[in-house]
Amino acid sequence: MAIYHLSVSNVSRASGSKATATLSYISGRRVHDERRGETYDYGRKERVLRVGTLLPEGAPAEFADPAVLFNAVELHETGRTARPAKKIVVALPREFTPRQRVQALEEYIRENLNADGYAATYAIHEDREGNNPHAHILVANRQIDPATGGWARLKQRMEYVLDERGERVPLIDPETGRQKTDKRGRRQWKRTSVSLNPLDRKAKLKALRESWANTCNARLDETARIDHRSLEDQGSDLEPTIHEGYAARAIERAGGVSERCQTNREIRRSNSLLTAVRAELGRIFDRLGELFAAKIGRLRRRQARPEPAEPNWRYFEGDARRQLEADKADHTAAIRGKLMDARADVGNREEWWRSHGTEEHEAAKQIIDVARAASREARDANIFKRGRLLRNAEQVAGEQSERLRGAVPWLEDADIPADWDQANRFRMRTTKAIYDHDMQPRTRLVAELERRLEQAERAESERPSPEQVKALALRMAEQRAQAENPTQDTKRPAPSGDEPLDLSEPEDWGEASPFESRQAPRTKADLLNEIRQRTNRLTGQREAEQRQIDPWSAQPPQRRGHGR
């Protein structure tokens, strides 16, 4: 896959680099430096595929030889900190053929360097395995004057330093703290050196980066395009890779693991995972968009259908309000009756406990009493038998504890003590625990019914809301119309299954409204008759439940004599 890379660096005399030495490195040829009298030969010819020099308009013909070109610029630049050349390194897409590589490079140099008066030499490189195609472009850092064929004179000039208001900044004497003056008394201002070389300007460097991307993209398929912008400028939060370099790749080729290459592998792995997650999220959002559009379409089609005329519900408004209040009263009375039954059940169960107990309780008492008997025997024994009987009491307590766990598996503390006093206290705790466990469902039911009764009484004291009254009155009116004209429903459009929920229903009081399971009353007398029948039905159910035999509320059999 094609990647983007373009870097620009200076061949600076201050750092010890020379244009002729750099030329020898990128071209793989022997180059003699006329200024210093040295000859450079860096070899590595197996990596150099092609070397070429492109000149601007008006350049001398002898500059077509790169050695002559860069010796001339080295001789012209005399300063100790001079920068005779610049080096541009670009990555060549692997999708390019050898001919396309040369065409892209020469087009780029002519449009961006030769057009501005710069002469440049390029060299195309590859590694020994034929990978990592890239090119070095060595540019003479001084323009050629097309009129004379010589080097342009000015590369920089001095300008005044301006503050944020656009005014000149005075030159301050550190000893006096005042503005410096010259011998004639003229005030001195800060000045700085401004480069007149286009290659030193930030705008030109940005244009070079963008132009290389455009040159490559003109020859690449749409799926392999490159972008000169950084990931941050592209608005991407992918992590950029780092430069590996020749040494790191050499370590990898030798079978080792380079830290920089390993870092790039981890970055690519995390970036690929992030890209896959984004693609999946994109598919999900696309699907949600389709579903939302379909939902909107159904809503619009439903809204386009004519709304049926609303029946006259005001006629049933009073009946609906009274029905809602009656339903609240019935609901409260039903809960109150259940609460009375639950409290009676608690009382009956307590009476049953006082006279009978439960099977678990009787089994637990018998098991604990066996251990208590052994501990009491050890307590009452004399000093000669006490040790043996104490050991026997501990053994019996352990065996009875196992039996107690089997008889009462839910009991948390089932370890019977071997001491007489502790065994007595354990027996009392166990009795209370079994009693609480047996009574807990009944007392919990009483507490729940008390809470529900409080809510029902609070709801009963409140007046029905207008929305509830209107909803019930509308339903009554519709049921009346349906009863008078049974064929009316056949004229209604079939439901689409996408109708909104009716949120204006009365509160859910735990029971269904009578209007949901019967025909609409024709008169108020019919309504009262239905309510009376419902009350009688509920009363009959309650009496039938009370007539059922509750084994916990049954009285124990009376002992009678055997007399005739």
Side-chain angles (χ1 to χ4, degrees):
M1 179 178 178
I3 61 172
Y4 179 86
H5 173 77
L6 186 146
S7 61
V8 181
S9 59
N10 286 304
V11 177
S12 176
R13 194 170 291 170
S15 61
S17 57
K18 295 169 284 295
T20 51
T22 305
L23 175 63
S24 174
Y25 172 79
I26 69 171
S27 63
R29 302 173 181 175
R30 292 172 57 89
V31 178
H32 180 72
D33 190 333
E34 299 177 0
R35 186 179 69 87
R36 298 178 60 87
E38 298 177 355
T39 301
Y40 305 105
D41 186 4
Y42 288 101
R44 304 175 68 178
K45 300 179 182 179
E46 70 282 355
R47 296 180 56 204
V48 181
L49 303 181
R50 182 183 177 92
V51 178
T53 301
L54 300 178
L55 302 177
E57 182 181 358
E62 59 268 19
F63 281 2
D65 185 351
V68 175
L69 170 64
F70 289 99
N71 268 301
V73 74
E74 280 282 354
L75 291 172
H76 186 79
E77 303 291 345
T78 58
R80 291 180 300 175
T81 60
R83 294 178 296 178
K86 288 186 182 294
K87 184 172 67 172
I88 304 174
V89 182
V90 295
L92 295 170
R94 294 184 180 181
E95 292 81 357
F96 280 0
T97 62
R99 181 179 181 82
Q100 287 177 324
R101 294 176 183 176
V102 176
Q103 290 176 347
L105 270 175
E106 293 188 351
E107 177 184 334
Y108 176 73
I109 293 173
R110 289 193 184 96
E111 292 181 356
N112 296 275
L113 299 174
N114 294 159
D116 291 338
Y118 294 99
T121 295
Y122 68 87
I124 300 176
H125 289 191
E126 278 186 352
D127 58 15
R128 294 180 180 178
E129 287 76 18
N131 300 320
N132 189 26
H134 60 281
H136 297 261
I137 305 173
L138 188 61
V139 186
N141 201 21
R142 186 177 287 270
Q143 296 166 298
I144 296 178
D145 188 353
T148 63
W151 301 108
R153 293 186 177 182
L154 293 179
K155 285 177 57 178
Q156 61 185 14
R157 69 182 178 188
M158 301 300 292
E159 290 184 356
Y160 288 110
V161 177
L162 303 179
D163 59 12
E164 62 275 3
R165 294 176 297 179
E167 299 180 356
R168 292 181 297 179
V169 177
L171 186 63
I172 304 300
D173 188 349
E175 296 181 357
T176 62
R178 298 179 179 178
Q179 185 176 1
K180 288 184 177 182
T181 57
D182 58 9
K183 295 180 179 180
R184 299 182 180 180
R186 293 177 298 185
R187 289 180 295 179
Q188 300 295 306
W189 308 90
K190 282 187 178 181
R191 295 196 299 172
T192 184
S193 176
V194 177
S195 175
L196 298 178
N197 185 7
L199 288 179
D200 290 333
R201 296 174 184 171
K202 194 172 184 179
K204 179 63 176 178
L205 297 179
K206 288 184 177 181
L208 288 175
R209 292 181 56 83
E210 182 177 0
S211 178
W212 176 244
N214 295 336
T215 302
C216 293
N217 289 334
R219 294 168 172 80
L220 289 172
D221 187 55
E222 292 184 358
T223 59
R225 297 292 174 86
I226 58 178
D227 197 326
H228 68 285
R229 297 173 298 171
S230 64
L231 292 175
E232 181 179 1
D233 292 339
Q234 296 176 34
S236 172
D237 54 0
L238 295 178
E239 185 179 358
T241 57
I242 62 176
H243 180 66
E244 295 176 357
Y246 177 79
R249 294 194 182 97
I251 294 175
E252 295 278 331
R253 286 195 299 269
V257 177
S258 169
E259 181 178 354
R260 302 183 72 85
C261 294
Q262 180 63 24
T263 300
N264 277 345
R265 282 191 288 268
E266 294 175 357
I267 292 174
R268 294 188 187 99
R269 190 181 304 113
S270 62
N271 286 345
S272 62
L273 178 60
L274 180 59
T275 303
V277 169
R278 282 180 173 172
E280 184 65 25
L281 287 176
R283 287 190 290 270
I284 292 174
F285 283 124
D286 291 342
R287 180 56 180 163
L288 288 176
E290 295 174 0
L291 295 175
F292 184 74
K295 180 73 173 180
I296 293 297
R298 289 194 297 269
L299 289 175
R300 288 177 176 172
R301 288 192 297 271
R302 187 173 66 225
Q303 292 174 358
R305 292 197 297 263
E307 294 290 337
E310 187 179 71
N312 185 13
W313 59 274
R314 290 290 183 181
Y315 179 78
F316 298 91
E317 184 176 3
D319 294 341
R321 182 177 290 105
R322 284 187 290 273
Q323 179 60 41
L324 290 172
E325 293 174 353
D327 285 346
K328 290 183 180 180
D330 290 346
H331 181 65
T332 305
I335 295 178
R336 189 176 288 110
K338 292 180 181 179
L339 179 58
M340 293 175 61
D341 294 343
R343 287 173 176 170
D345 184 34
V346 171
N348 294 337
R349 189 59 176 173
E350 290 177 348
E351 184 66 25
W352 176 268
W353 257 92
R354 284 192 290 271
S355 58
H356 294 81
T358 61
E359 294 182 0
E360 287 185 342
H361 180 228
E362 293 298 329
K365 284 198 304 182
Q366 293 177 8
I367 293 171
I368 296 173
D369 287 345
V370 173
R372 289 175 65 243
S375 62
R376 182 176 59 186
E377 184 180 1
R379 184 198 64 178
D380 297 340
N382 57 35
I383 192 172
F384 300 103
K385 297 181 180 180
R386 185 172 299 167
R388 178 176 58 81
L389 293 178
L390 283 175
R391 290 191 296 272
N392 180 63
E394 292 177 355
Q395 182 179 359
V396 172
E399 295 173 353
Q400 295 303 105
S401 298
E402 293 296 329
R403 292 185 58 195
L404 181 60
R405 292 188 184 93
V408 190
W410 52 264
L411 191 62
E412 295 181 359
D413 184 10
D415 296 329
I416 304 174
D419 182 72
W420 164 256
D421 295 331
Q422 296 180 4
N424 287 334
R425 289 192 290 270
F426 177 80
R427 187 173 182 270
M428 295 174 61
R429 292 196 306 270
T430 304
T431 299
K432 187 175 186 310
I434 295 175
Y435 172 80
D436 293 340
H437 183 266
D438 184 64
M439 296 296 295
Q440 185 178 12
R442 295 169 175 80
T443 56
R444 185 182 301 166
L445 177 60
V446 170
E448 176 64 20
L449 289 174
E450 289 176 349
R451 184 186 64 80
R452 291 176 57 187
L453 179 61
E454 181 181 356
Q455 293 179 352
E457 290 176 346
R458 190 184 307 114
E460 186 179 4
S461 63
E462 298 175 354
R463 291 178 58 86
S465 66
E467 293 80 9
Q468 295 173 350
V469 174
K470 180 179 178 180
L472 185 54
L474 279 172
R475 196 180 316 132
M476 295 169 68
E478 290 174 357
Q479 290 173 353
R480 168 67 64 83
Q482 181 181 359
E484 293 177 353
N485 187 10
T487 61
Q488 185 177 2
D489 285 345
T490 59
K491 300 179 181 179
R492 295 182 180 180
S496 63
D498 197 27
E499 289 76 15
L501 294 177
D502 184 7
L503 302 179
S504 61
E505 294 290 334
E507 293 184 27
D508 182 11
W509 298 307
E511 297 179 359
S513 172
F515 294 98
E516 297 178 1
S517 59
R518 63 178 176 83
Q519 295 295 330
R522 295 183 178 274
T523 63
K524 294 183 179 179
D526 293 338
L527 176 62
L528 294 176
N529 188 28
E530 287 291 337
I531 295 173
R532 190 178 298 108
Q533 291 178 3
R534 176 180 172 82
T535 304
N536 294 337
R537 186 168 57 254
L538 291 175
T539 304
Q541 291 177 359
R542 188 178 299 117
E543 292 177 355
E545 292 175 357
Q546 290 178 354
R547 285 196 298 269
Q548 292 180 356
I549 299 176
D550 185 0
W552 303 112
S553 62
Q555 296 294 331
Q558 301 292 332
R559 296 185 179 181
R560 300 182 179 180
H562 298 280
R564 298 180 182 273

